[in-house]
C-alpha cells in the first residue's frame, strides 16, 4: 500500500478493509473493523504490482462505439453554415454511463488538434434552483476561457458580445456572475460573487415587467449566437434533465426552437425510468417534434457480457478468458450496469472474495464467496461503502446530501459544527473529505474548495443514512433553518448562482408544513417571498408563482388584519404575486389579488405598479377599453386629470403645447430642469400607458390628449426621458397636418432627449419608430433609416419591450419593400420574423407581417396571383382593436400593389376605395407615397379606357398631393411624381407624346439612380406599353426588356414570367426562356450590377442591417448597352406634333 506521504491518485479505489468502531476529531483516520487507513507494512512505490488496490481503466469507454459515432456525426453537421442546430437526448437507467459517454466524446474532440469548439456543461440537482444547470454551464465556460492560454478566444468572444449585445450583456451578469469577468477581461472576484462594479439598475437589469421573460430568453439566444461561429461551434451538455425546473424548460424551448441559432449542438441526458409522458421535458420534446424540430435520441442499453468481460479484464490485468467465471458472477448481479459493476468489484474486494495474490502476483478470487460477497442491488452496495467510512465522514456526507451535489467546504464546515455541536478544524475536515475523494465518494478539482458527489446514486445513498420519519424531519428542519440563516446573513445578488441555499432552505421547511415540527409563520412568509423575488429577478415566473403562493398562504394564517399590522410585507406579497400571475396569463387570479391591493394600499404611489401590471394584462387580452378606463381612474387619483376626456380638453392642451413651442427655442426646452417630482413622474407613466391603450383601442383622440398632457407637465415641471415619446408623437401629428417643418423639429427634440437623458430604454423603440416613419424616412438616406430602425429594434428586444421590438422589425420589412431591397432577402427576413414572434407569443404583429408575405409570394411564386383569394380579403373591423385596423390597412396596400403591378385595375380601384377611410393613418413614409403612387396609376390606367374625365381628375388629385410632399418632405419620391405625371399625360387625349416620353425617361432614370428597383421595373413596363400604343415597337421592346431585367433583379419571378407570357413578341418568348441556361432565366440569375441591395440581411431576432456604401449609380454600372433605351430612336422633334388621337 502507498505511504501516508505519497497518497494514491484519485479514482484508485478499494484499499484493504480493516476496521474500528469509530473516529474522533484529531485521531488517525480509520475504517471500521481494523487498521488505520494506510497499511504501513509495505512502502515501495516502485512495485505497483504489490499494491493491494483496484485500479479501474482511465479514459476508456466500453460498448459505446456506435453512440460515439452518432454524436460525432451530429457535431460535424453543426459546423456548417445555416444548419439547424442538432438536438441529441441521451437516455438510460441510472449508472448506465450517460455522463461518461458525453464527457468521453468531449475529451476525444479536445484531443483532435484541428477541432475547435466551446463546451458548456451543467448538471441539475434534486433540489433545483431556477436555471441552475444553465448557470453552471455558462459559469464553467466563462472560467475556462479566462485562463491565460485562452486569450485569443477571450478576445474574440468579447468582441462578438460587444457587437451583438453591447452594454445589455451586463443584464445577464446577475444571472451568470462570471460573465462579468468576461466583459471586463479579468478574473475579478467581485464578478464571481455577482457584484457589478458599475451598477445601474435601470440599464443593466432584467426588466421588471411582463416582457422580462422574453428579454431573458432573447439575451441568452443572442449570447449563444455571438460566442459560436462556423469555425468554433458551441456544444452544450445538460445532465439530469429529469430534475430540470420549469424556468429552464422555457429557456430551452426558446433556444432549441430558434432556427437562427446555428453552429450550436445541444446534448441532454436523463434517466428514462424517472421521466414519464407528463414530465416537463417529455412535453418539451414532444412539442419540438410537432413543430418540425428533429430530436435525435440515444438510448443506452446495458453492457453485454462480453463488454463487461473486457472491462473486468482491463481492470484486473488478466485475459478475458481467465476472467470468465468472475465476469459471469458479477454480470449476473449487475446486469451490465457499469456503475453497479464497478461498485460490485470494490465490494468483492472489501469482503476479500477478490484479492491480490502476493505469491502469484495477480488478482484471484474465491468462487464460493462470489455469490455472497456483494449486495444484491446498487443502492445496497453504495450504502455499505458509505457505512464503512468514519462516523464524522458519514455525517459530512449526510449533511452534504441534504443540500446539493456540490458544496463548498466552508459551508459544510459550518453545518457540521452546528449539527454536532463539537469544534472541528477546517484542515481536519479537508483531510477527511480527501479520503472520500480517494474512495471515489466525492470529486474535487486541484485547488478548488468545492466538493461534489462522484455520482447521483452516492448522494441518494447518503441521503438515506437517516430513514424517513421524525429523525429525518428534525434534520430537514435544522438544514432549512441553517441555510436560511446563512443566506440572510450574507445575501448575494438577486438570482445568482449563490442563491441556491435559499431555495434548499425553502424546500426543506415547506416539506415540514404538515408535520409536528414547529416553524415560525413569519419565517415561512419571508423565506418563500425571498425565493419568489429571486426567481422573479431572473424572470423564472413559474417557480416564482409557487413560492409566492405559499407566502400568501402563510400570510393569510394571521387571524388579525394583515393590512393593518403587517402592511409592508402584505403589500409586497400581494403585489408581487399579482404581477407574476398576470405575467403568466392567470388573469382571474392576478386580478383578484390586484383588486385587494388597490382596495388596501395606503396611497396612490403604492398602487402605480399594480395599475400598470393590470393595464398591461388587459392589453394583452385585447381588452383595450377596460385598460384605458383603469388608467383614467388611476390618473384621477394621482392628479387633477379630468375624469372624462373631451375633444375640448385636447384642443386646450394642444393649443398650449403649440404656443409654448412657438415661444421657446429648442435650446430653451432642452435646458429645462430635470423632473424630480415623483408624483408627476407617476402621472407621466400613467398618461403614457393610457395613451397607448387608447391608440391600441382605436381611440385616437384620447391618445392625443394623453400626449399633449404629458408635454404640458414636462414643460411646467421639468424634463425626463419619458418626454421623448410624446415629442415623437407630435412629430406624427404635425406630419399628418402637413406641417413638415414642425414635425422635423419635434423629431430633432425627441432625438436630443434620448441622447441627453438616461434610463431611455423604455421609450427609445417607440420614439425612433415614430421619427423614422414620419420624418427621417422622407429625407434621410435609407441606409441611415435602416440602421436607426435596427438599433431601436435591438434595444426593444434586449430590454424586454417585445411589443415594439417586433413592431419595429415588421416596419423594417415594410421599409425594405418600399426602398427596393431584393424580395428573396425580405422574404427570408419576414418568415424569420413570423417564427420569432410565434416563439415569443407576440401575435399582435403576426397578421400585419403576413400581409407583407402575401405581396412577396404573389410576386415570386407561380405564374401570377390568385385573384379570387385576394379579392376575398374582407372583414368587419372592430373599431376598438387598433391591431386589426393596421392589419386591414396593410392588407389593402399589399393588394393594391399586386393589382397595379399585374394590371388588375378593377381590383386596384376597389382597394383604393377601401383604403379611403383610413387615409389619416397613412401619413408614414412606408404607406403614403405608395398609396398615392398606386392610386394615381390606377385611375390613370382606368382613364385610358372608361370615364376618362372623372378618372383623370382622381389621378390628378393624387398627383398634386405627392407633388406637395416632394416640395416639403424631400426628393426621395420625386421619381414617383414623374412617373405619375407621365401616366396622366398618357391618359390625357390632349397630351404631348414628347412630354410623356421625357417624363417616363426622367422618372425611370431617377428611380434607377436611387435603386428603387420596383419603380424602375414598373415605370419601364408602363413606358413600354405607352410606346406600343403609339406604334414605336423598338422603344417598346427596349423598355419592356428593361422592365423584365429589373423585375428579375428585384426578385419578382412570377411577374417576370407573366410579362414574358403577355408580351412575348417584345421580350424573350416562353420557348426561348425555357431553352435559356438556368443562370440566364429570370429568377435564377442576378444582374452583375453591384449595389447595396445585394447586402444580405441577417436572419436573426436582432436584424443588424449591415448596409455597404452605396455605389455612385446603378445606371453607371448597368450591364445594358445603353441606360437610355430611347436613345437613337425617333427624335422628339419627330414626335412633337403627335397627339393621342393621331397616334391612335
Amino acid at each position: 500500500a502507498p505511504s501516508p506521504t505519497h497518497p494514491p491518485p484519485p479514482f484508485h479505489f478499494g484499499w484493504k478493509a480493516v476496521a474500528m468502531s469509530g473516529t474522533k476529531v484529531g485521531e488517525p483516520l480509520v475504517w471500521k473493523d481494523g487498521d488505520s487507513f494506510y497499511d504501513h507494512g509495505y512502502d515501495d512505490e516502485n512495485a505497483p504490482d504489490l499494491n493491494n488496490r483496484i485500479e479501474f481503466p482511465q479514459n476508456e469507454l466500453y460498448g459505446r462505439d456506435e453512440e460515439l459515432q452518432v454524436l460525432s456525426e451530429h457535431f460535424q453537421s453543426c459546423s456548417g453554415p445555416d444548419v439547424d442546430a442538432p438536438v441529441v437526448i441521451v437516455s438510460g437507467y441510472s449508472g448506465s454511463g450517460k455522463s461518461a459517454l458525453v464527457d468521453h466524446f468531449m475529451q476525444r474532440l479536445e484531443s483532435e488538434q484541428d477541432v475547435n469548439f466551446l463546451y458548456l456543461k451543467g448538471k441539475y440537482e434534486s433540489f433545483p434552483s431556477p436555471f441552475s444547470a444553465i448557470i453552471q454551464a455558462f459559469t464553467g465556460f466563462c472560467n475556462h476561457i479566462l485562463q491565460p492560454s485562452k486569450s485569443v478566444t477571450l478576445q474574440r468572444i468579447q468582441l462578438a458580445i460587444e457587437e451583438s449585445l453591447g452594454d445589455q450583456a451586463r443584464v445577464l451578469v446577475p444571472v451568470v456572475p462570471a460573465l462579468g469577468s468576461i466583459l471586463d477581461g479579468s478574473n475579478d472576484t467581485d464578478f464571481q460573487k455577482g457584484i457589478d462594479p458599475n451598477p445601474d439598475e435601470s440599464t443593466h437589469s432584467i426588466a421588471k415587467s411582463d416582457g422580462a421573460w422574453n428579454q431573458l430568453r432573447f439575451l441568452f439566444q443572442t449570447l449563444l449566437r455571438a460566442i459560436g461561429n462556423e469555425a468554433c461551434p458551441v456544444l452544450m451538455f445538460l445532465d439530469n434533465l429529469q430534475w430540470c425546473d420549469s424556468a429552464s424548460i422555457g429557456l430551452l424551448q426558446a433556444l432549441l426552437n430558434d432556427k437562427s441559432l446555428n453552429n450550436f449542438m445541444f446534448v441532454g441526458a436523463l434517466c428514462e425510468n424517472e421521466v414519464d409522458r407528463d414530465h416537463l421535458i417529455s412535453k418539451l420534446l414532444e412539442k419540438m417534434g410537432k413543430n418540425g424540430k428533429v430530436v435525435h435520441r440515444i438510448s443506452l442499453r446495458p453492457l453485454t457480457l462480453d463488454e463487461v468481460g473486457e472491462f473486468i479484464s482491463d481492470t484486473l490485468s488478466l485475459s478475458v478468458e481467465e476472467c470468465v467465471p468472475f465476469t459471469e458472477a458479477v454480470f449476473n448481479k449487475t446486469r451490465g450496469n457499469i456503475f453497479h459493476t464497478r461498485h460490485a468489484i470494490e465490494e468483492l474486494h472489501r469482503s476479500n472474495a477478490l484479492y491480490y495474490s502476493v505469491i502469484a502476483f495477480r488478482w484471484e478470487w474465491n468462487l464460493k464467496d462470489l455469490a455472497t460477497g456483494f449486495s444484491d442491488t446498487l443502492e445496497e452496495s453504495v450504502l455499505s461503502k458509505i457505512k464503512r467510512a468514519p462516523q464524522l465522514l458519514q455525517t459530512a456526507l449526510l449533511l452534504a446530501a441534504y443540500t446539493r451535489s456540490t458544496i463548498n467546504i466552508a459551508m459544510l464546515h459550518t453545518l457540521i459544527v452546528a449539527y454536532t455541536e463539537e469544534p472541528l478544524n477546517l484542515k481536519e475536515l479537508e483531510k477527511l473529505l480527501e479520503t472520500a475523494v480517494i474512495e471515489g465518494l466525492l470529486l474535487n478539482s486541484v485547488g478548488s474548495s468545492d466538493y461534489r458527489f462522484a455520482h447521483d446514486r452516492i448522494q441518494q445513498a447518503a441521503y438515506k443514512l437517516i430513514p424517513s420519519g421524525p429523525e429525518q424531519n428534525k434534520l430537514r428542519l435544522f438544514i432549512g433553518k441553517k441555510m436560511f440563516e446563512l443566506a440572510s446573513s450574507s445575501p448575494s445578488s438577486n438570482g445568482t448562482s449563490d442563491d441556491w441555499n435559499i431555495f434548499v432552505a425553502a424546500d426543506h421547511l415547506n416539506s415540514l408544513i404538515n408535520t409536528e415540527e414547529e416553524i415560525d409563520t413569519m419565517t415561512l412568509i419571508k423565506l418563500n417571498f425571498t425565493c419568489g423575488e429571486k426567481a422573479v429577478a431572473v424572470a423564472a415566473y413559474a417557480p416564482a408563482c409557487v413560492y409566492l403562493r405559499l407566502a400568501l398562504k402563510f400570510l393569510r394564517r394571521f387571524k388579525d388584519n394583515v393590512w393593518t399590522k403587517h402592511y409592508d410585507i402584505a403589500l409586497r406579497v400581494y403585489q408581487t404575486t399579482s404581477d407574476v400571475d398576470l405575467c403568466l396569463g392567470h388573469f382571474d387570479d392576478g386580478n383578484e389579488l390586484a383588486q385587494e391591493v388597490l382596495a388596501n394600499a395606503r396611497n396612490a404611489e403604492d398602487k402605480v405598479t399594480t395599475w400598470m401590471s393590470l393595464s398591461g394584462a388587459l392589453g394583452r387580452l385585447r381588452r383595450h377599453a377596460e385598460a384605458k378606463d383603469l388608467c383614467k381612474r388611476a390618473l384621477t387619483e394621482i392628479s387633477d386629470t379630468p375624469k372624462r376626456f373631451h375633444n375640448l380638453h385636447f384642443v386646450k392642451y394642444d393649443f398650449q403645447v403649440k404656443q409654448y413651442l412657438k415661444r421657446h427655442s429648442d435650446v430653451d426646452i432642452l435646458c429645462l430642469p430635470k423632473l424630480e417630482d415623483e408624483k408627476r413622474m407617476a402621472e407621466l407613466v400613467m398618461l403614457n400607458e393610457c395613451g397607448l391603450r387608447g391608440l391600441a383601442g382605436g381611440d385616437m383622440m384620447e391618445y392625443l390628449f394623453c400626449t399633449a398632457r404629458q408635454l404640458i407637465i414636462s414643460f411646467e415641471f421639468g424634463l425626463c426621458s419619458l418626454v421623448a415619446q410624446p415629442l415623437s408623437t407630435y412629430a406624427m401629428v404635425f406630419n399628418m397636418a402637413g406641417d413638415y417643418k414642425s414635425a422635423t423639429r419635434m423629431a430633432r427634440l425627441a432625438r436630443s432627449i434620448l441622447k441627453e437623458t438616461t434610463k431611455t430604454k423604455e421609450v427609445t423603440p417607440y420614439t425612433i419608430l415614430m421619427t423614422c416613419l414620419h420624418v427621417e424616412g422622407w429625407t434621410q438616406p435609407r441606409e441611415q433609416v435602416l440602421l436607426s430602425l435596427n438599433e431601436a429594434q435591438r434595444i426593444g428586444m434586449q430590454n424586454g419591450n417585445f411589443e415594439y421590438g417586433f413592431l419595429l422589425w415588421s416596419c423594417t420589412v415594410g421599409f425594405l419593400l418600399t426602398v427596393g431591397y431584393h424580395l428573396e432577402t425580405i422574404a427570408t427576413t419576414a418568415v424569420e420574423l413570423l417564427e420569432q414572434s410565434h416563439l415569443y407569443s407576440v401575435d399582435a404583429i403576426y397578421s400585419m407581417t403576413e400581409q407583407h408575405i402575401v405581396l412577396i409570394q404573389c410576386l415570386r411564386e407561380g405564374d401570377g396571383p390568385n385573384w379570387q383569394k385576394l379579392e376575398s380579403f374582407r372583414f368587419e373591423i372592430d373599431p376598438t382593436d387598433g391591431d386589426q385596423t393596421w392589419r386591414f390597412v396593410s392588407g389593402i396596400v399589399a393588394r393594391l400593389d399586386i393589382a397595379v403591378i399585374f394590371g388588375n385595375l378593377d381590383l386596384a380601384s376597389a382597394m383604393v376605395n377601401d383604403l379611403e377611410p383610413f387615409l389619416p393613418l397613412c401619413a408614414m413614409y412606408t404607406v403614403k407615397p405608395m398609396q398615392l403612387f398606386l392610386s394615381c396609376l390606377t385611375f390613370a390606367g382606368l382613364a385610358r379606357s372608361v370615364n376618362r374625365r372623372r378618372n383623370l381628375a382622381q389621378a390628378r388629385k393624387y398627383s398634386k398631393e405627392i407633388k406637395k410632399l416632394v416640395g416639403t418632405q424631400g426628393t426621395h419620391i420625386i421619381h414617383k411624381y414623374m412617373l405619375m405625371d407621365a401616366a396622366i399625360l398618357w391618359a390625357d387625349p390632349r397630351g404631348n407624346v414628347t412630354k410623356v416620353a421625357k417624363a417616363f425617361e426622367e422618372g425611370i432614370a431617377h428611380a434607377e439612380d436611387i435603386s428603387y428597383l420596383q419603380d424602375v421595373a414598373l415605370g419601364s413596363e408602363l413606358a413600354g406599353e405607352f410606346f406600343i400604343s403609339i406604334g414605336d415597337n423598338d422603344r417598346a421592346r427596349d423598355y419592356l426588356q428593361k422592365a423584365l431585367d429589373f423585375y428579375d433583379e428585384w426578385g419578382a419571378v412570377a411577374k417576370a414570367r407573366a410579362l414574358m407570357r403577355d408580351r412575348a413578341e417584345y421580350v424573350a418568348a416562353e420557348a426561348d426562356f425555357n431553352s435559356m441556361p438556368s443562370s440566364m432565366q429570370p429568377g435564377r440569375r442576378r444582374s452583375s450590377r453591384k449595389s447595396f441591395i445585394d447586402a444580405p440581411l441577417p436572419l436573426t431576432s436582432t436584424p443588424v442591417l449591415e448596409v455597404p456604401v452605396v455605389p455612385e449609380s446603378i445606371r453607371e454600372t448597368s450591364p445594358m448597352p445603353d441606360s437610355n433605351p430611347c436613345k437613337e430612336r425617333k427624335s422628339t422633334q419627330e414626335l412633337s406634333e403627335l397627339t393621342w388621337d393621331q397616334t391612335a
Side-chain angles (χ1 to χ4, degrees):
S3 67
T5 57
H6 297 87
F11 307 110
H12 289 180
F13 311 127
W15 271 260
K16 180 178 177 181
V18 286
M20 193 176 152
S21 59
T23 304
K24 295 182 179 180
V25 177
E27 293 182 357
L29 298 175
V30 298
W31 295 93
K32 302 236 177 132
D33 301 329
D35 304 323
S36 64
F37 182 75
Y38 295 107
D39 182 359
H40 300 282
Y42 192 84
D43 193 20
D44 185 359
E45 297 178 5
N46 298 320
D49 289 339
L50 297 182
N51 289 338
N52 184 23
R53 64 187 182 188
I54 299 293
E55 293 187 4
F56 292 113
Q58 301 298 308
N59 302 322
E60 293 290 339
L61 205 61
Y62 296 87
R64 303 303 184 201
D65 292 340
E66 293 182 4
E67 289 82 357
L68 287 172
Q69 181 62 29
V70 171
L71 289 173
S72 179
E73 291 174 356
H74 290 309
F75 178 77
Q76 292 174 6
S77 70
C78 77
S79 301
D82 302 328
V83 177
D84 195 16
V87 176
V88 181
I89 300 298
V90 181
S91 61
Y93 285 90
S94 179
S96 59
K98 302 180 293 296
S99 304
L101 171 68
V102 182
D103 287 341
H104 187 84
F105 170 68
M106 183 271 296
Q107 293 168 7
R108 176 186 289 185
L109 290 178
E110 287 182 334
S111 65
E112 299 178 13
Q113 296 182 354
D114 58 340
V115 176
N116 294 318
F117 70 102
L118 301 175
Y119 186 50
L120 286 74
K121 179 182 178 181
K123 185 176 183 179
Y124 285 101
E125 309 281 349
S126 54
F127 296 109
S129 56
F131 309 116
S132 58
I134 297 175
I135 293 172
Q136 182 185 6
F138 277 97
T139 300
F141 158 75
C142 292
N143 292 334
H144 176 70
I145 64 172
L146 283 169
Q147 299 175 7
S149 60
K150 302 292 182 181
S151 58
V152 176
T153 303
L154 176 62
Q155 292 176 4
R156 179 186 69 81
I157 290 176
Q158 285 176 322
L159 180 61
I161 293 176
E162 174 64 26
E163 290 178 350
S164 60
L165 287 174
D167 290 341
Q168 286 302 309
R170 293 196 177 275
V171 173
L172 292 174
V173 171
V175 185
V176 186
L179 182 61
S181 302
I182 299 293
L183 301 179
D184 280 10
S186 62
N187 204 350
D188 192 334
T189 56
D190 283 343
F191 279 119
Q192 293 180 355
K193 295 176 182 178
I195 302 173
D196 188 346
N198 301 301
D200 183 350
E201 183 179 355
S202 66
T203 307
H204 301 146
S205 62
I206 294 177
K208 293 178 174 61
S209 67
D210 57 281
W213 171 233
N214 280 340
Q215 178 193 16
L216 187 72
R217 291 195 296 176
F218 173 79
L219 291 176
F220 268 113
Q221 282 177 274
T222 308
L223 178 62
L224 280 175
R225 291 194 204 100
I227 65 177
N229 57 37
E230 191 172 343
C232 187
V234 177
L235 171 60
M236 174 182 276
F237 172 47
L238 297 184
D239 203 356
N240 285 341
L241 286 177
Q242 71 274 9
W243 293 331
C244 183
D245 60 284
S246 57
S248 295
I249 290 290
L251 184 54
L252 288 177
Q253 180 181 355
L255 295 177
L256 302 184
N257 284 317
D258 184 5
K259 295 182 180 180
S260 64
L261 183 57
N262 303 316
N263 311 124
F264 174 76
M265 177 178 175
F266 175 81
V267 181
L270 55 84
C271 291
E272 59 186 27
N273 56 311
E274 298 184 33
V275 175
D276 56 22
R277 295 190 62 180
D278 294 329
H279 195 282
L280 289 175
I281 193 66
S282 298
K283 292 181 178 179
L284 170 62
L285 297 177
E286 181 181 1
K287 187 175 182 180
M288 289 171 57
K290 290 181 179 178
N291 292 336
K293 180 74 173 182
V294 179
V295 179
H296 308 279
R297 297 178 183 267
I298 298 178
S299 182
L300 295 188
R301 54 171 177 78
L303 298 183
T304 64
L305 177 62
D306 292 339
E307 292 162 348
V308 172
E310 185 181 354
F311 169 70
I312 292 176
S313 171
D314 292 343
T315 301
L316 303 183
S317 299
L318 299 173
S319 67
V320 174
E321 292 75 14
E322 290 178 297
C323 297
V324 168
F326 185 82
T327 299
E328 290 178 346
V330 172
F331 185 81
N332 289 336
K333 285 282 189 179
T334 65
R335 311 310 300 176
N337 185 295
I338 187 62
F339 184 71
H340 193 181
T341 299
R342 293 167 66 105
H343 277 268
I345 295 173
E346 290 181 323
E347 192 172 6
L348 287 170
H349 182 224
R350 290 194 299 268
S351 65
N352 288 326
L354 174 68
Y355 58 91
Y356 189 83
S357 172
V358 295
I359 299 175
F361 294 100
R362 54 164 284 168
W363 288 98
E364 295 182 350
W365 52 85
N366 189 331
L367 286 175
K368 294 182 180 180
D369 295 336
L370 288 182
T372 59
F374 54 96
S375 306
D376 292 333
T377 65
L378 174 59
E379 181 179 317
E380 294 174 357
S381 177
V382 177
L383 193 58
S384 69
K385 183 175 182 178
I386 295 176
K387 288 183 176 180
R388 289 184 59 258
Q391 189 62 48
L392 189 58
L393 180 55
Q394 290 188 44
T395 301
L397 295 174
L398 172 67
L399 294 175
Y402 275 77
T403 56
R404 62 174 186 167
S405 63
T406 302
I407 189 169
N408 184 273
I409 188 173
M411 178 171 286
L412 183 58
H413 177 264
T414 302
L415 292 175
I416 294 175
V417 171
Y419 184 69
T420 61
E421 298 182 349
E422 293 184 6
L424 174 63
N425 185 279
L426 192 62
K427 292 293 184 181
E428 292 294 332
L429 176 60
E430 185 176 356
K431 293 180 180 178
L432 191 66
L433 296 180
E434 285 303 318
T435 63
V437 172
I438 294 170
E439 278 293 300
L441 298 173
L442 297 176
L443 297 177
N444 170 254
S445 301
V446 177
S448 173
S449 60
D450 291 335
Y451 290 81
R452 62 186 176 92
F453 285 98
H455 197 275
D456 299 330
R457 299 303 292 267
I458 297 175
Q459 183 180 5
Q460 293 168 8
Y463 191 90
K464 293 183 178 180
L465 285 172
I466 293 183
S468 59
E471 188 176 357
Q472 186 188 68
N473 291 342
K474 290 181 179 179
L475 176 62
R476 300 193 73 174
L477 179 63
F478 164 77
I479 294 287
K481 288 185 175 180
K482 194 62 181 178
M483 299 296 280
F484 185 34
E485 177 187 333
L486 292 174
S488 302
S489 61
S490 56
S492 60
S493 62
N494 284 348
T496 72
S497 57
D498 296 330
D499 290 331
W500 63 269
N501 46 12
I502 196 73
F503 292 98
V504 171
D507 287 341
H508 282 304
L509 295 184
N510 289 336
S511 69
L512 303 175
I513 294 174
N514 297 321
T515 65
E516 297 180 357
E517 303 297 336
E518 294 184 2
I519 310 174
D520 179 60
T521 302
M522 187 56 71
T523 298
L524 289 173
I525 294 172
K526 292 181 178 179
L527 174 61
N528 283 283
F529 179 69
T530 301
C531 289
E533 277 194 320
K534 290 183 180 297
V536 169
V538 294
Y541 289 129
C545 185
V546 174
Y547 290 113
L548 291 171
R549 281 286 171 182
L550 283 171
L552 187 63
K553 174 183 176 182
F554 297 136
L555 185 65
R556 287 171 172 171
R557 284 185 176 182
F558 291 111
K559 295 181 180 180
D560 52 356
N561 189 343
V562 295
W563 287 98
T564 302
K565 294 188 175 182
H566 307 283
Y567 177 80
D568 291 337
I569 188 67
L571 177 66
R572 295 174 65 192
V573 170
Y574 272 89
Q575 201 166 59
T576 308
T577 308
S578 171
D579 292 348
V580 169
D581 276 333
L582 293 173
C583 288
L584 289 173
H586 308 158
F587 180 78
D588 292 338
D589 295 335
N591 183 47
E592 180 183 352
L593 296 176
Q595 296 305 325
E596 191 160 353
V597 171
L598 296 178
N600 292 281
R602 292 175 178 173
N603 52 63
E605 287 76 9
D606 288 346
K607 299 179 183 180
V608 172
T609 300
T610 302
W611 279 324
M612 292 294 293
S613 298
L614 198 53
S615 175
L618 288 167
R620 290 191 295 276
L621 295 174
R622 306 292 180 88
R623 294 160 63 174
H624 301 299
E626 294 179 52
K628 180 186 64 177
D629 291 340
L630 175 72
C631 293
K632 290 167 69 173
R633 290 197 301 272
L635 284 169
T636 58
E637 289 193 39
I638 294 175
S639 64
D640 56 354
T641 303
K643 292 184 178 180
R644 293 183 180 181
F645 301 166
H646 298 289
N647 293 353
L648 291 178
H649 290 130
F650 168 66
V651 172
K652 170 187 173 183
Y653 289 139
D654 180 60
F655 176 78
Q656 293 176 359
V657 167
K658 292 178 178 177
Q659 286 298 308
Y660 188 93
L661 293 172
K662 184 177 181 180
R663 293 193 301 266
H664 295 81
S665 67
D666 291 1
V667 175
D668 294 335
I669 295 173
L670 293 175
C671 288
L672 288 172
K674 180 180 178 181
L675 179 62
E676 302 288 352
D677 190 331
E678 293 185 1
K679 185 175 181 180
R680 294 299 176 182
M681 182 68 75
E683 184 179 1
L684 283 180
V685 170
M686 292 308 306
L687 281 168
N688 179 61
E689 179 69 13
C690 185
L692 293 178
R693 295 307 158 195
L695 178 64
D699 194 335
M700 181 63 72
M701 186 54 62
E702 296 209 6
Y703 170 60
L704 296 177
F705 167 85
C706 293
T707 298
R709 174 72 177 173
Q710 288 180 77
L711 290 178
I712 292 296
I713 293 172
S714 300
F715 294 155
E716 183 177 354
F717 297 98
L719 298 181
C720 66
S721 59
L722 294 178
V723 77
Q725 188 160 315
L727 284 172
S728 64
T729 300
Y730 253 78
M732 176 195 72
V733 172
F734 283 124
N735 183 45
M736 293 172 64
D739 186 355
Y740 187 73
K741 182 178 180 181
S742 297
T744 304
R745 181 190 180 194
M746 293 298 99
R748 185 172 59 248
L749 279 171
R751 287 281 196 172
S752 299
I753 294 291
L754 291 181
K755 182 178 179 180
E756 298 297 331
T757 60
T758 60
K759 302 181 181 180
T760 61
K761 64 182 183 181
E762 294 86 358
V763 299
T764 296
Y766 175 91
T767 301
I768 294 182
L769 174 66
M770 300 302 286
T771 56
C772 282
L773 296 187
H774 288 279
V775 178
E776 295 170 2
W778 295 91
T779 56
Q780 297 294 324
R782 54 183 164 185
E783 301 82 12
Q784 185 61 46
V785 176
L786 287 173
L787 290 174
S788 295
L789 289 172
N790 168 73
E791 177 66 12
Q793 190 263 353
R794 182 183 64 82
I795 292 173
M797 300 288 281
Q798 289 179 357
N799 291 286
N801 191 349
F802 276 44
E803 184 177 356
Y804 279 108
F806 281 114
L807 178 60
L808 279 155
W809 196 347
S810 181
C811 290
T812 301
V813 172
F815 189 81
L816 294 173
L817 284 169
T818 302
V819 299
Y821 267 72
H822 194 272
L823 291 176
E824 182 179 0
T825 302
I826 303 174
T828 310
T829 305
V831 170
E832 175 67 14
L833 167 58
L834 292 184
E835 292 173 350
Q836 291 291 326
S837 63
H838 179 71
L839 180 63
Y840 288 99
S841 301
V842 182
D843 298 329
I845 211 66
Y846 197 92
S847 57
M848 193 164 73
T849 307
E850 276 185 322
Q851 305 310 314
H852 295 318
I853 293 181
V854 167
L855 170 62
I856 296 170
Q857 287 176 337
C858 288
L859 292 169
R860 287 179 49 80
E861 299 176 3
D863 293 326
N866 183 337
W867 296 115
Q868 183 177 1
K869 184 176 181 180
L870 291 174
E871 291 171 357
S872 64
F873 182 74
R874 296 286 192 280
F875 59 88
E876 294 295 328
I877 298 179
D878 182 359
T880 64
D881 191 342
D883 296 335
Q884 193 180 86
T885 301
W886 277 113
R887 177 198 170 193
F888 184 79
V889 171
S890 300
I892 291 297
V893 172
R895 281 155 180 78
L896 175 59
D897 201 355
I898 296 167
V900 172
I901 289 176
F902 284 92
N904 189 338
L905 297 183
D906 291 334
L907 176 61
S909 176
M911 294 298 101
V912 171
N913 293 331
D914 287 345
L915 194 60
E916 195 70 27
F918 304 97
L919 290 182
L921 300 177
C922 300
M924 63 187 73
Y925 181 71
T926 53
V927 179
K928 190 165 188 176
M930 183 182 297
Q931 175 255 328
L932 295 175
F933 179 57
L934 297 175
S935 299
C936 177
L937 295 184
T938 298
F939 286 105
L942 290 173
R944 294 194 296 269
S945 57
V946 295
N947 296 326
R948 178 173 292 176
R949 180 176 297 180
R950 184 172 62 86
N951 287 325
L952 266 179
Q954 282 288 94
R956 288 193 177 102
K957 182 186 74 171
Y958 294 118
S959 178
K960 289 179 181 179
E961 288 188 46
I962 208 165
K963 181 180 180 180
K964 181 179 179 181
L965 293 178
V966 170
T968 58
Q969 297 181 229
T971 59
H972 282 3
I973 57 175
I974 193 171
H975 68 278
K976 294 183 185 292
Y977 170 70
M978 293 176 179
L979 294 175
M980 293 163 68
D981 190 43
I984 292 172
L985 289 173
W986 180 14
D988 190 343
R990 298 168 299 175
N992 186 286
V993 173
T994 303
K995 292 182 179 180
V996 178
K998 184 177 180 180
F1000 272 125
E1001 179 183 342
E1002 292 179 349
I1004 293 168
H1006 192 277
E1008 195 172 353
D1009 283 337
I1010 62 173
S1011 303
Y1012 276 50
L1013 301 184
Q1014 75 281 25
D1015 291 342
V1016 176
L1018 181 58
S1020 297
E1021 184 182 4
L1022 291 174
E1025 295 295 332
F1026 160 69
F1027 283 109
I1028 290 175
S1029 70
I1030 64 172
D1032 191 341
N1033 293 335
D1034 290 337
R1035 289 193 178 190
R1037 184 174 294 106
D1038 287 339
Y1039 271 114
L1040 290 176
Q1041 187 62 50
K1042 183 170 186 175
L1044 180 64
D1045 288 340
F1046 273 88
Y1047 279 130
D1048 179 35
E1049 179 71 14
W1050 188 32
V1053 181
K1055 173 58 183 177
R1057 290 179 181 274
L1059 183 60
M1060 287 193 303
R1061 182 183 62 246
D1062 298 337
R1063 291 298 183 186
E1065 66 272 26
Y1066 296 97
V1067 295
E1070 188 73 21
D1072 297 332
F1073 166 72
N1074 291 329
S1075 64
M1076 287 181 183
S1078 59
S1079 62
M1080 294 296 294
Q1081 293 179 11
R1084 303 183 188 180
R1085 68 180 176 88
R1086 295 294 304 276
S1087 169
S1088 60
R1089 177 186 295 109
K1090 295 294 183 182
S1091 72
F1092 73 90
I1093 63 170
D1094 298 303
L1097 292 180
L1099 310 179
T1100 70
S1101 51
T1102 313
V1104 183
L1105 307 176
E1106 298 187 7
V1107 185
V1109 177
V1110 183
E1112 293 182 3
S1113 170
I1114 289 182
R1115 292 178 65 193
E1116 296 176 0
T1117 58
S1118 174
M1120 299 176 61
D1122 195 327
S1123 61
N1124 181 4
C1126 297
K1127 194 173 183 181
E1128 297 183 359
R1129 303 300 180 188
K1130 289 184 179 180
S1131 66
T1132 55
Q1133 287 82 1
E1134 295 177 272
L1135 298 173
S1136 59
E1137 302 301 325
L1138 293 177
T1139 64
W1140 302 133
D1141 292 335
Q1142 293 172 316
T1143 56

